[in-house]
Amino acid sequence: CDGCTGTGDVEMVRRARLVQPRMQPDAKPAINGPKGPLPWGQITFAHTSDTHGWLMGHVKEENYGADWGDYVSFIRHMRYKARSLGVDFLVVDSGDLHDGAGLSDATAKLPGGVNGEVSLPIFENLDYDLLTIGNHELYVADITYDVFENFAKFYRSRYLTSNVQIRDPKDNKFKYVGKQYKYFTTYFGIRIMAFGVLFDFTGNANNSKIIKAKDMVQEQWFLDAINTSEPVDLFLVLGHNSVRSSTGTFPIIREAIRKVRPDTPIQFFGGHSHTRDFKVFDNSSTALEPGRYCETLGWLALSGIDAGKGKHKPEGVPNPTRPAINGTVGAKITYDRRYIDWNRLSFEYHSDNVRTFDTPRGESVTNEIWDERHRLNLTNLYGCAPQTYCLSCAPQDSELSLYPLVQKALSATIINESRKTTARLIFVNTGGFRFDLVKGPFTYDDSFIVAPFTNAFEYIPNVPYKYASQLLVLLNAGAPQKRDMDRQHRSFLPTSADSCPLDSVQFNRALVKRKTITRRQEAVTPGYTTKDDFGIDGDDTPHSTVPYYRTTNDIMAKGGFPEDGSDPETVDIIFYDFIRSYVITALGKAGVNYTANDVSLYMPKTFTSNDFLPAYAKMAWSKDC
Ligand SMILES: O=c1ccn([C@@H]2O[C@H](COP(=O)(O)O)[C@@H](O)[C@H]2O)c(=O)[nH]1
Ligand SMILES: [Zn+2]
Ligand SMILES: [Zn+2]
């Protein structure tokens, strides 16, 4: 496979932008397209969530290959279209901007750097109407402070954090990261009261505070906001908050608003569970959730609000016709929703703008992304993965799965020289692995895509084996450290089935960012197949379903065990700091008590959960892809 060097210089990037598609003669674009025009209502919303730094798009997957510049261009066209249709259009985001891709995460590894310091300013090229905070803005104190000092100040009254505060180091006082609420009137006259509510998250760093939803709804400022004497035609509640799972707190907010406003429409925009979803609460209250990782743009059209001078039924476009609760006669509010695949074909098609799609701002955002990709060395090659290892496309003990590879890599790389004669058991949470590891060049960028967190390897020395040997079962029976189990899942889908893994730099212009992607006519491709409260017709591009297998909370790797197969007397128990409390609890259940004072670092602080796969790739995989 020539050209698969996996490295690149600035010139190469620039040249790659100019070259024609380098497809195999028989390779077809692995993409099929939208089923038809989007619905537009009296007010229509474009909704992102859980972008996790994927602003470069999925460079190895054409179906999710649009970058942030493409999205900026798309929104510009859609704002124009809304005005010409005579309807309101709002663009909203539900948080989790960090942890998941090199563009956001690599800066934390630079001296004095912070995760997000490059990606957030790129994100800011989008003129969002409303945004809110996610839990990934709160795990690390420096990130929260950066969001408070820069991002929240950039979006000013549009960044809503109704229940999240930060301790400002300047005066040691707790302050809201953004604003608690926003009251505003849209261009066509709809009067809106908006909030931004994070689920009851508890894993935050100690410079922030999350007020539980049940407490927030009793606070005077909230009661004043929902009881305001100003007219409110529509409540908007953004929230990094699953619309369906039991961890979601939207029902609490809804109940509080409904007590004083029984009939006012309430529209929720959720996130966090990485799922495409639409939930109906009552006939004028529903919630949308738009998936993850710049794979989906959520779209919601809503009509029937008793206000404003915008059209309820714009001409020449599909209008929402469904009441929230199926079969309701005479329902005032009607809805429709769509989940748009994040690619150029979808964006160009829906903007009715194939020839002049790229706006100057969109082009410059794309250029900035690719310059930063180079500056941050994201295409640096560790080795060539001999196959694709997936998170959920196969049973977790299958050779197709990522987890046997993780076990092998942990055994080979997590060795403390001074302890190497002591047998060790290494425990990691499967929630720390976020995306498939794809066949071909495994780069610095891919290291964040697969395992973005920088959790330390800690240990408890010399634990009697009779207790340690029970640990995995107890961890997996205990409280989950991973994301909700009911998430929608999707595995990696190669750009074209048998194309050679092109140089990661060239993936962009050569395949993903071709000006106009040709629609594949003959068959649907694998991808998201969503079932929500409105049924199975929400996906904008129809797909066939991909297989999905669940995983356990944690997995275990071994090292340094006696060669004769006998059990050691004692072992070192090694684990990510992220799961320390679960390990201590589980050991207690096994019958032996330890505390945090018994825990110390096993590997240097600088060798984290993000480093062991690169270390393994360097030692085990060829560099000749
Ligand atoms: O240091 C960390 C932080 C998080 N995780 C995992 O991530 C999920 C939460 O991710 P969302 O995108 O908010 O759903 C958490 O449940 C952990 O599984 C981690 O492993 N290490
Ligand atoms: Zn997330
Ligand atoms: Zn989240």
Side-chain angles (χ1 to χ4, degrees):
C1 157
D2 53 21
C4 295
T5 61
T7 55
D9 55 21
V10 175
E11 256 326 291
M12 212 172 146
V13 178
R14 299 232 151 89
R15 264 185 285 121
R17 286 180 184 159
L18 301 173
V19 296
Q20 289 299 307
R22 282 167 38 106
M23 309 228 0
Q24 303 290 309
D26 58 345
K28 297 189 179 73
I31 184 166
N32 56 307
K35 61 185 181 187
L38 291 172
W40 285 86
Q42 179 187 4
I43 183 164
T44 300
F45 298 86
H47 179 203
T48 48
S49 190
D50 296 87
T51 47
H52 286 288
W54 284 79
L55 308 185
M56 205 173 311
H58 291 235
V59 293
K60 298 176 183 176
E61 291 181 292
E62 194 169 21
N63 197 60
Y64 306 98
D67 67 29
W68 203 248
D70 300 326
Y71 185 49
V72 166
S73 297
F74 175 73
I75 289 300
R76 177 83 198 80
H77 295 302
M78 296 320 245
R79 286 203 189 277
Y80 180 80
K81 187 164 178 171
R83 280 293 159 85
S84 36
L85 290 171
V87 294
D88 281 311
F89 178 59
L90 298 185
V91 184
V92 300
D93 182 82
S94 300
D96 266 10
L97 310 185
H98 301 83
D99 304 327
L103 197 68
S104 54
D105 304 350
T107 45
K109 293 204 154 186
L110 299 173
V114 182
N115 184 318
E117 74 183 45
V118 158
S119 58
L120 263 50
I122 292 174
F123 188 95
E124 286 166 7
N125 282 287
L126 218 284
D127 53 342
Y128 276 100
D129 294 285
L130 295 170
L131 314 91
T132 193
I133 198 164
N135 51 305
H136 285 267
E137 279 74 74
L138 296 161
Y139 283 112
V140 174
D142 286 354
I143 295 181
T144 312
Y145 188 66
D146 182 47
V147 169
F148 172 62
E149 266 303 287
N150 299 307
F151 193 70
K153 289 190 173 138
F154 178 84
Y155 283 110
R156 305 190 335 168
S157 65
R158 291 173 282 158
Y159 194 62
L160 299 176
T161 64
S162 306
N163 64 334
V164 182
Q165 298 180 338
I166 179 171
R167 192 189 307 109
D168 187 345
K170 288 189 216 91
D171 56 12
N172 236 5
K173 291 200 172 115
F174 273 101
K175 297 173 183 168
Y176 286 92
V177 177
K179 296 283 182 272
Q180 287 136 278
Y181 66 94
K182 182 177 171 75
Y183 178 75
F184 65 106
T185 304
T186 63
Y187 186 82
F188 288 108
I190 301 174
R191 291 152 305 184
I192 292 178
M193 177 64 81
F195 304 100
V197 186
L198 178 66
F199 72 97
D200 294 345
F201 177 53
T202 54
N204 53 309
N206 61 10
N207 69 334
S208 59
K209 188 155 82 183
I210 290 101
I211 299 151
K212 287 194 188 322
K214 71 172 177 30
D215 298 327
M216 187 203 82
V217 296
Q218 289 174 29
E219 290 186 347
Q220 198 54 49
W221 74 263
F222 181 79
L223 296 171
D224 292 345
I226 59 175
N227 281 301
T228 175
S229 54
E230 301 288 343
V232 177
D233 307 314
L234 172 66
F235 284 97
L236 291 184
V237 184
L238 265 66
H240 193 74
N241 222 314
S242 165
V243 307
R244 198 169 294 275
S245 110
S246 55
T247 61
T249 58
F250 284 160
I252 297 171
I253 316 293
R254 178 184 155 271
E255 204 180 302
I257 299 176
R258 277 282 169 264
K259 271 189 195 146
V260 294
R261 308 269 187 169
D263 302 318
T264 312
I266 311 170
Q267 187 55 50
F268 293 91
F269 291 97
H272 183 58
S273 66
H274 293 194
T275 307
R276 293 178 169 189
D277 205 355
F278 180 71
K279 172 138 178 76
V280 171
F281 291 115
D282 63 45
N283 247 328
S284 56
S285 161
T286 71
L288 183 71
E289 197 174 331
R292 58 163 203 189
Y293 302 164
C294 292
E295 294 175 347
T296 304
L297 174 61
W299 188 262
L300 181 88
L302 189 160
S303 284
I305 300 166
D306 258 345
K309 47 190 182 336
K311 292 183 186 158
H312 282 217
K313 287 193 174 197
E315 285 139 37
V317 286
N319 282 274
T321 54
R322 302 191 205 186
I325 297 172
N326 193 15
T328 309
V329 180
K332 273 166 71 174
I333 311 290
T334 50
Y335 298 88
D336 205 353
R337 52 66 183 111
R338 201 72 82 74
Y339 310 103
I340 303 169
D341 280 0
W342 194 273
N343 60 54
R344 298 258 315 180
L345 175 62
S346 303
F347 288 172
E348 288 177 359
Y349 170 82
H350 287 307
S351 67
D352 304 329
N353 220 318
V354 173
R355 290 221 179 80
T356 55
F357 177 78
D358 295 290
T359 63
R361 169 69 76 104
E363 283 275 22
S364 88
V365 171
T366 296
N367 287 338
E368 192 183 344
I369 287 172
W370 287 84
D371 288 348
E372 289 294 349
R373 177 174 171 79
H374 177 74
R375 195 180 66 81
L376 294 169
N377 296 319
L378 298 184
T379 57
N380 274 7
L381 180 74
Y382 294 122
C384 298
Q387 63 169 78
T388 292
Y389 303 91
C390 68
L391 290 185
S392 59
C393 76
Q396 80 182 67
D397 56 357
S398 152
E399 283 304 312
L400 296 174
S401 162
L402 180 71
Y403 298 108
L405 175 76
V406 166
Q407 285 163 314
K408 218 183 286 178
L410 289 168
S411 298
T413 60
I414 306 305
I415 304 170
N416 174 328
E417 270 307 301
S418 69
R419 305 283 309 167
K420 72 176 179 197
T421 52
T422 306
R424 55 197 180 276
L425 294 177
I426 310 157
F427 298 87
V428 299
N429 64 312
T430 55
F433 302 95
R434 307 278 282 190
F435 200 75
D436 300 350
L437 195 161
V438 173
K439 179 178 178 178
F442 179 68
T443 63
Y444 189 39
D445 193 20
D446 296 308
S447 78
F448 296 106
I449 284 173
V450 177
F453 305 115
T454 48
N455 299 137
F457 285 96
E458 297 183 335
Y459 83 123
I460 302 175
N462 305 323
V463 177
Y465 188 63
K466 64 175 176 180
Y467 304 120
S469 57
Q470 301 175 46
L471 193 52
L472 185 65
V473 170
L474 288 165
L475 281 170
N476 285 331
Q481 310 109 50
K482 76 187 265 38
R483 1 179 247 250
D484 306 351
M485 296 302 270
D486 58 359
R487 290 184 173 203
Q488 193 181 28
H489 287 263
R490 182 186 76 76
S491 296
F492 171 76
L493 301 164
T495 284
S496 65
D498 54 356
S499 69
C500 109
L502 290 175
D503 178 278
S504 301
V505 174
Q506 290 178 327
F507 261 118
N508 179 39
R509 289 294 169 164
L511 283 169
V512 177
K513 185 98 170 123
R514 277 182 291 140
K515 284 291 174 199
T516 304
I517 297 166
T518 325
R519 190 188 283 250
R520 183 173 181 167
Q521 298 287 358
E522 19 349 331
V524 298
T525 55
Y528 283 112
T529 51
T530 307
K531 183 167 187 302
D532 62 19
D533 281 3
F534 266 11
I536 55 167
D537 60 354
D539 295 311
D540 185 49
T541 296
H543 287 291
S544 56
T545 308
V546 292
Y548 165 65
Y549 293 84
R550 289 184 164 207
T551 48
T552 53
N553 282 343
D554 299 283
I555 56 168
M556 181 183 83
K558 287 176 159 187
F561 268 58
E563 282 181 4
D564 62 6
S566 62
D567 288 344
E569 263 309 293
T570 62
V571 290
D572 286 348
I573 300 260
I574 303 162
F575 44 86
Y576 289 163
D577 56 355
F578 187 72
I579 61 169
R580 184 197 306 139
S581 62
Y582 301 96
V583 168
I584 290 174
T585 305
L587 282 171
K589 284 190 186 149
V592 58
N593 288 323
Y594 289 99
T595 70
N597 293 335
D598 300 307
V599 175
S600 51
L601 276 180
Y602 187 82
M603 299 293 282
K605 187 107 190 125
T606 48
F607 191 92
T608 71
S609 50
N610 170 249
D611 295 296
F612 76 91
L613 283 169
Y616 179 77
K618 280 195 249 173
M619 82 175 55
W621 292 341
S622 132
K623 279 210 168 191
D624 180 9
C625 298

